[in-house]
Amino acid sequence: MKRRSVRVLAAGVTVVAALLLGACGGGAGADGTETVTVAQADPGLSFAPLYVADGMGYFADEGLAVDIQTLKPDVAVAGLASDQIDYVATIGSVARQAATGVPVKVAMVWFDRTPFVIMGNSRFQDMAALRGQAVGVSGFGSSTDVALRHALRASGLDPETDVEIIQLGGGGPAGRITAIQTDQVAATPLTLPDDIIAERRGLTRLYDTTDELLIPFTGLGVSDIKLAEDPEQIAAMIRATRRALEHMAAEPEESARIISEATGTEEDVVLEALPTMVRIVSPDGLASAEALENSIAPTDGSGATPDLATAYDFDLLRAENTQQGVPAAPDRPAADG
């Protein structure tokens, strides 16, 4: 079936203008604190290390003040490549764009698996029932698109012919939930804690990708220019967000409170979702070679997977790991891979 798009952020000059107006990072304050801009796809648990690092003062300890912007992933990556944004946390989009030649890289992985659940209208009780239906993603080539295609194929459906994939645009998880409730689509991928919210609103769990979709989820994406010119700042971001991940595991109630305040999500919902997110944290900021390859493989399953070096640069992370005594898991790629 044909793919179509609704409510997609405008292209061209409008996007560039919005980006320049809405995401202006860099510069030092009167106290010497350096302001950096980080883009996220939506305010949610996937980006919790940013909220916890900010709320606990870990960024401040590194001399950083972080301005968190919510931007559509393709716009964010364009801003990253043009040096308008310092970091992009939606690293799936960063890696896929890097593999096509965009001068950006992933420098750290926070979560080494992609915890999407395909949530559907209560009329549908399994993935097979989606045959002939419209299903929604945030954007073509996004992590939601990858997760949906994985779940469809695993359920014996062809994403190209058995369903109609609709791009729902910048409405975030709340917009995708509404799209199901208003019958625009039959199902959509949601991540924690939005799947919990959707279930409480009567939607049905159709497929859980958490333990299957070995694709790095969120982390730190940077430009090639920043890698070359500002390694100290990148190392500081690595240290601060690593401390946040450790705090999420050690102090879930305090972390849930901070995340709830930052995202507007009810604290009990965050607390219910947090154990799963902690379970998929990358202990060393890396991911397996298989996961990294999956992240840049063509979404339609065709063509050769690009070289990992086109999308990932973990040299600074490995140096930080060595300094802090963090061992690498045995399935990690070689340093020159």
Side-chain angles (χ1 to χ4, degrees), residues 226-247:
K226 183 172 282 291
L227 273 168
E229 297 182 356
D230 208 350
E232 293 86 357
Q233 186 189 93
I234 298 172
M237 290 289 291
I238 289 171
R239 290 191 295 270
T241 54
R242 170 170 283 154
R243 289 179 68 189
L245 290 164
E246 292 170 349
H247 191 81

Side-chain angles (χ1 to χ4, degrees), residues 115-138:
F116 278 108
V117 176
I118 312 303
M119 301 297 297
N121 188 294
S122 58
R123 299 195 309 273
F124 306 100
Q125 296 302 310
D126 55 36
M127 292 292 292
L130 297 179
R131 189 182 301 274
Q133 301 295 321
V135 290
V137 297
S138 62

Side-chain angles (χ1 to χ4, degrees), residues 29-74:
D31 61 353
T33 299
E34 190 173 12
T35 300
V36 298
T37 301
V38 183
Q40 62 177 10
D42 55 75
L45 190 56
S46 312
F47 306 101
L50 296 175
Y51 319 136
V52 175
D54 189 34
M56 293 302 299
Y58 299 151
F59 286 134
D61 290 345
E62 298 288 349
L64 301 174
V66 173
D67 176 23
I68 303 173
Q69 297 278 338
T70 299
L71 292 171
K72 203 163 167 279
D74 58 342

Side-chain angles (χ1 to χ4, degrees), residues 273-299:
L274 205 53
T276 299
M277 293 304 290
V278 168
R279 179 168 62 84
I280 64 171
V281 166
S282 168
D284 55 8
L286 298 158
S288 69
E290 179 185 359
L292 299 180
E293 289 169 0
N294 288 343
S295 72
I296 56 176
T299 57

Side-chain angles (χ1 to χ4, degrees), residues 144-181:
T144 58
D145 192 17
V146 173
L148 178 63
R149 289 170 182 274
H150 168 87
L152 288 167
R153 291 191 188 101
S155 303
L157 298 176
D158 186 335
E160 301 299 330
T161 60
D162 289 335
V163 297
E164 179 182 15
I165 299 178
I166 296 177
Q167 181 174 250
L168 295 173
R176 297 203 300 279
I177 291 172
T178 299
I180 294 176
Q181 293 175 320

Side-chain angles (χ1 to χ4, degrees), residues 247-271:
H247 191 81
M248 287 163 59
E251 300 291 344
E253 292 187 358
E254 183 175 40
S255 298
R257 176 184 57 76
I258 293 171
I259 296 164
S260 174
E261 291 174 357
T263 64
T265 305
E266 293 181 8
E267 192 171 330
D268 68 310
V269 172
V270 177
L271 198 56

